Amino acid sequence: MKRSSISDRLLGVAIYAFAAAGIAGLPALAIAQTAPTDLARKIAQYREKLAEYTKARADYEILARPYWAEIAEKRARRIAKLRKKEKTTLADYVLEQPPIYTGPPKPQDPEKRPAAEEYMPVVEDFLKNAGEHFDFVPERPANDDQYRHAYAQTALAAGLTPAQCVRVYAFESGGDGNYAIQAGLEYGRPGEKAISTALGYNQLLTTNSVELLAEVGDKFVTALRAKADAADGARHAQLQKKIATLEKMIAFSQTVPDQWSAHARLAETPKGIALHAVILDIDISPLLQVEKLLTSVNYAKRQGYTKPLTAAELEMMNLTGDGTGFDMVTMPNEMRKKIPTSNFFQRRGYERNQVAITNNTVATLIAATDAKMESEAQLPGARALAAAFEVFSETR
């Protein structure tokens, strides 16, 4: 089929404008003559702006590509050193800040419709898919205090400290989020939209739920069996049914290779979305939320790091991944002051992370994280969680 020319498309616009104007009782001929002229002007402006943008981006890429290639090369060297448990030096990092694009933004093509916004699953979707695919309805806590106490008891039993848990919760949930808080929906304002599937105290993604069930699901089953053995009657039967369902979920999570990318793809399927509903269950959710933090603590211990991680250091491992975060945690303070945060991100991730761009050295990023934790730990939700930890700390 012959592709239509711009003049053909303009004629189509004119015909549509003519009809619309006739319906509205306006001077149809005048509108039909004006519409093509207006579109032609917008197309000409767009092409001019696009040329400016293309040149500016090309000039920027001359600087950016070599910089990020060096970042990737030195990261690979550091990973090799980490495997051998060798210490890094300043020479293992890029010490210059990344180039910043200061040219014009990419213009909007007047002939293209805006891309449809991708839908982000929310709590209703997790529940719906859990019911359809696993006949699972999570047992929701009666209130947030019940959840706080369950979380605090689980965290202390796992060896986490109140300071780690309360401050990470404060940072991740804004200091006052409930057990089901989702990223982007923190404040209940009109027009809020979910920006990710991150859910709960430590903001687990659907991929986190899939991965934790696949890798340590048996640990969760063991914990539930201990609860069931200590329960009687209806509660015992309820836990037995929950265990059977959890085992089916674990089996499904293990149908792909044990890799983050494979878990991420599975998490986008209806059954994968269903697994995230466990974050809403009073018995299972605290186990996953605690395990997310414990994974980083145990990683540090395996690397021979014996000091307790501060909450901010733990958050660095949560933010950038255990290996990369551990690199940041273990470097001396003097190195933290000199090393740009760009060393610890992929290019796309860094360019989208305004916090890392603004706090552009390891020292300033950790300090900013710690300051936010300190501030938001004073809010009601964080204070209530701290109080829950105090109750169980006194009985240990």
Side-chain angles (χ1 to χ4, degrees):
M1 180 182 290
K2 184 179 178 182
R3 183 176 294 175
S4 63
S5 65
I6 291 177
S7 59
D8 293 333
R9 292 198 295 274
L10 295 180
L11 179 59
V13 171
I15 292 170
Y16 175 81
F18 184 89
I23 293 171
L26 297 174
L29 184 57
I31 298 250
Q33 291 172 339
T34 302
T37 304
D38 185 53
L39 181 57
R41 178 179 57 77
K42 288 180 179 178
I43 290 172
Q45 289 175 342
Y46 163 72
R47 288 177 176 170
E48 183 179 337
K49 290 179 180 179
L50 182 62
E52 292 173 0
Y53 167 78
T54 302
K55 183 181 184 308
R57 287 299 303 188
D59 292 343
Y60 169 69
E61 289 298 327
I62 291 172
L63 302 174
R65 282 181 185 171
Y67 179 88
W68 288 102
E70 187 179 6
I71 288 283
E73 180 185 343
K74 294 205 169 187
R75 182 186 297 114
R77 288 185 202 167
R78 293 199 306 276
I79 290 171
K81 277 193 167 186
L82 182 64
R83 285 176 182 153
K84 298 175 185 177
K85 297 191 176 179
E86 296 177 1
K87 289 185 177 179
T88 57
T89 68
L90 285 175
D92 295 309
Y93 302 88
V94 177
L95 300 181
E96 296 79 26
Q97 293 292 339
I100 298 173
Y101 177 71
T102 57
K106 186 175 183 179
Q108 179 69 43
D109 187 343
E111 295 185 285
K112 283 187 178 178
R113 293 181 180 179
E117 198 171 294
E118 186 178 354
Y119 178 74
M120 186 64 63
V122 293
V123 166
E124 290 77 8
D125 299 299
F126 309 141
L127 294 171
K128 177 176 177 290
N129 282 282
E132 289 179 359
H133 297 285
F134 293 98
D135 192 26
F136 177 66
V137 179
E139 182 188 352
R140 309 286 285 268
N143 50 52
D144 282 307
D145 270 339
Q146 184 189 10
Y147 187 88
R148 290 183 189 107
H149 283 78
Y151 178 75
Q153 191 171 22
T154 304
L156 287 171
L160 296 175
T161 69
Q164 287 172 329
C165 295
V166 172
R167 291 171 76 86
V168 169
Y169 158 81
F171 183 87
E172 291 286 354
S173 75
D176 203 25
N178 63 28
Y179 75 96
I181 189 170
Q182 185 169 356
L185 304 176
E186 294 94 336
Y187 305 107
R189 295 169 182 161
E192 278 187 340
K193 293 181 180 179
I195 59 174
S196 81
T197 57
L199 199 65
Y201 277 18
N202 298 321
Q203 292 289 278
L204 272 66
L205 300 165
T206 47
T207 307
N208 292 128
S209 291
V210 171
E211 185 152 285
L212 287 169
L213 290 177
E215 293 180 348
V216 291
D218 289 347
K219 182 177 178 180
F220 306 147
V221 169
T222 299
L224 290 188
R225 280 185 178 146
K227 271 191 175 184
D229 290 343
D232 296 317
R235 176 63 173 157
H236 176 81
Q238 180 191 41
L239 284 166
Q240 290 286 38
K241 181 181 178 182
K242 195 177 293 189
I243 290 167
T245 302
L246 184 60
E247 287 177 327
K248 291 178 184 177
M249 290 178 161
I250 292 167
F252 173 70
S253 72
Q254 294 172 340
T255 57
V256 297
D258 187 9
Q259 300 167 352
W260 178 264
S261 57
H263 292 152
R265 288 192 293 273
L266 196 67
E268 293 177 349
T269 67
K271 289 183 77 172
I273 290 171
L275 298 192
H276 209 36
V278 296
I279 301 296
L280 304 170
D281 185 87
I282 185 62
D283 294 307
I284 305 174
S285 175
L287 297 170
L288 269 78
Q289 294 285 359
V290 166
E291 192 67 31
K292 180 65 172 66
L293 299 185
L294 200 60
T295 298
S296 297
V297 170
N298 289 339
Y299 179 92
K301 287 180 180 177
R302 288 196 302 273
Q303 299 301 318
Y305 193 79
T306 56
K307 293 191 299 183
L309 292 168
T310 68
E313 289 171 341
L314 191 53
E315 186 60 39
M316 290 303 101
M317 297 178 74
N318 185 43
L319 177 68
T320 63
D322 286 336
T324 299
F326 183 72
D327 188 10
M328 300 169 78
V329 165
T330 54
M331 67 174 59
N333 286 331
E334 284 307 308
M335 286 179 65
R336 287 183 179 183
K337 295 174 184 177
K338 297 175 182 177
I339 297 175
T341 53
S342 54
N343 284 275
F344 307 96
F345 291 85
Q346 300 292 333
R347 178 179 175 180
R348 267 186 87 185
Y350 180 83
E351 290 176 345
R352 292 178 177 181
N353 192 325
Q354 195 55 49
V355 174
I357 293 171
T358 302
N359 302 286
N360 60 11
T361 66
V362 174
T364 54
L365 181 59
I366 292 177
T369 301
D370 201 45
K372 185 180 179 185
M373 287 178 168
E374 179 64 26
S375 172
E376 297 192 340
Q378 309 310 313
L379 296 178
R383 285 182 175 277
L385 181 58
F389 271 96
E390 287 178 12
V391 170
F392 290 104
S393 295
E394 290 169 0
T395 60
R396 286 173 66 83

